[in-house]
Amino acid sequence: MLWPADEPWPVCTVPHKRGSGFRHADVLRGREILAAAWRRDPRSGPNAEEGEELRGFRRGRHAPHLADTDPVPLLAATQLYRRDVPGLPDTGEGDLLQVFWCGFERHGDSRHEPYVRLRWRRAGDVGVPLAAAPVPEVVGREELVPSPCVVHPEEVVEYPYFAALAPPLRERIAAWEGPKDAGDRYISELSTAPGWKTGGHLAWPLTGPRPVPCSVCGTELAPLLTVDRTEWDPSTTSWIPYEDRPDADTLWAGTPTEVSPGRGRLTVAVCPRDAGHPMDLIVQ
Ligand SMILES: [Zn+2]
Ligand SMILES: [Zn+2]
């Protein structure tokens, strides 16, 4: 993250247990071991020595000294420059969007919600940058630790989720697809892209569409960033990015970040009228 060395790193102080889980360092080391073993020989797993080390990376009470409101560093989830992602909204606050989340999903009324923070900044204003991002000692879920990745954005056209369309249009699409698919092809291949993305339309596979009004002004919130468990799955191969197609069958090709927030897909939705209005998190 491009972060000024003299600016406090974002933290979570929301009350929740933060001493038990996986050591952040173990999560990264475990991935390193598995990747090395796979590079050596995709058919055989880790060797005995590696297996022994992996077995030591267990969930446990690794940071018993942490009280329930002690500040813990948020994980750096992503940063996007408008020069790379021209569709990023212009909030007037800068050309760089930085996204952070807590390593635990124990927030909100349900006590199972993620905690996400956004920071817009002007990249040119950062003087001396921070050399290394602070990390929490322990995370509640391994799938909240992103593996370092570089963004190669591809611009695609999306259409609204099938169930969000007016009934006459749904009928026309179903007629065009034929009785066997009844919306499947539109949903999987043509409307909403899987994977990490900005903008686009919300997919509602879990709950069906619902309005997401801004809590301040009532304007319908717009998806800013969607984080997804996989960049594609067997039903959505039409969305495989061009540069990934030659290696699409390689292990991890479709899961470069190794992140899976909530039930797998998390959208940060923001007010299109005022970036200062509260965001909402949609898990589908
Ligand atoms: Zn937290
Ligand atoms: Zn608003």
Side-chain angles (χ1 to χ4, degrees):
M1 283 274 184
L2 182 65
W3 192 266
D6 58 359
E7 195 175 309
W9 186 261
V11 294
C12 176
T13 54
V14 177
H16 61 72
K17 297 241 180 295
R18 59 246 278 135
S20 294
F22 298 90
R23 282 193 196 92
H24 182 270
D26 290 353
V27 176
L28 295 185
R29 176 69 186 138
R31 290 177 187 172
E32 195 178 88
I33 291 172
L34 291 174
W38 188 86
R39 272 196 306 271
R40 214 167 44 227
D41 183 356
R43 289 159 304 175
S44 66
N47 61 32
E49 196 184 325
E50 291 165 336
E52 186 63 31
E53 193 178 350
L54 286 170
R55 275 188 291 282
F57 300 158
R58 292 215 190 105
R59 172 185 284 283
R61 202 153 169 263
H62 296 303
H65 54 279
L66 287 176
D68 287 0
T69 52
D70 280 354
V72 284
L74 297 187
L75 289 159
T78 187
Q79 67 177 358
L80 301 169
Y81 290 86
R82 191 171 293 109
R83 63 167 190 255
D84 296 325
V85 189
L88 276 184
D90 190 352
T91 61
E93 296 173 298
D95 57 337
L96 175 59
L97 169 64
Q98 300 179 314
V99 183
F100 303 86
W101 60 53
C102 179
F104 294 84
E105 288 181 330
R106 295 187 166 202
H107 315 84
D109 295 336
S110 72
R111 302 243 158 221
H112 289 292
E113 286 165 40
Y115 177 80
V116 176
R117 283 292 164 265
L118 305 179
R119 179 75 161 82
W120 286 96
R121 66 165 72 249
R122 288 176 183 84
D125 289 355
V126 176
V128 179
L130 195 64
V135 291
E137 277 179 78
V138 175
V139 295
R141 292 183 55 223
E142 297 167 283
E143 299 87 345
L144 292 173
V145 178
S147 285
C149 281
V150 180
V151 177
H152 295 286
E154 201 169 287
E155 211 168 342
V156 296
V157 176
E158 289 199 335
Y159 295 96
Y161 192 63
F162 185 70
L165 296 171
L169 196 46
R170 289 210 297 263
E171 283 161 25
R172 282 173 61 195
I173 292 169
W176 169 75
E177 290 191 347
K180 230 173 64 195
D181 296 329
D184 286 354
R185 198 173 155 214
Y186 177 82
I187 290 172
S188 307
E189 296 176 13
L190 299 169
S191 51
T192 57
W196 286 56
K197 63 186 177 185
T198 62
H201 288 275
L202 282 157
W204 299 95
L206 223 54
T207 63
R210 63 173 169 84
V212 200
C214 171
S215 62
V216 173
C217 72
T219 307
E220 187 69 6
L221 300 183
L224 173 68
L225 175 74
T226 296
V227 175
D228 207 345
R229 189 175 60 83
T230 59
E231 295 298 300
W232 65 84
D233 66 26
S235 71
T236 54
T237 51
S238 70
W239 295 104
I240 297 177
Y242 289 123
E243 75 270 19
D244 287 333
R245 295 201 171 191
D247 308 309
D249 294 330
T250 313
L251 195 62
W252 296 305
T255 54
T257 64
E258 300 197 51
V259 156
S260 179
R263 291 189 174 92
R265 187 186 289 163
L266 171 73
T267 298
V268 180
V270 294
C271 179
R273 270 183 60 190
D274 189 331
H277 291 173
M279 64 175 157
D280 203 355
L281 300 176
I282 298 156
V283 175
Q284 286 287 315

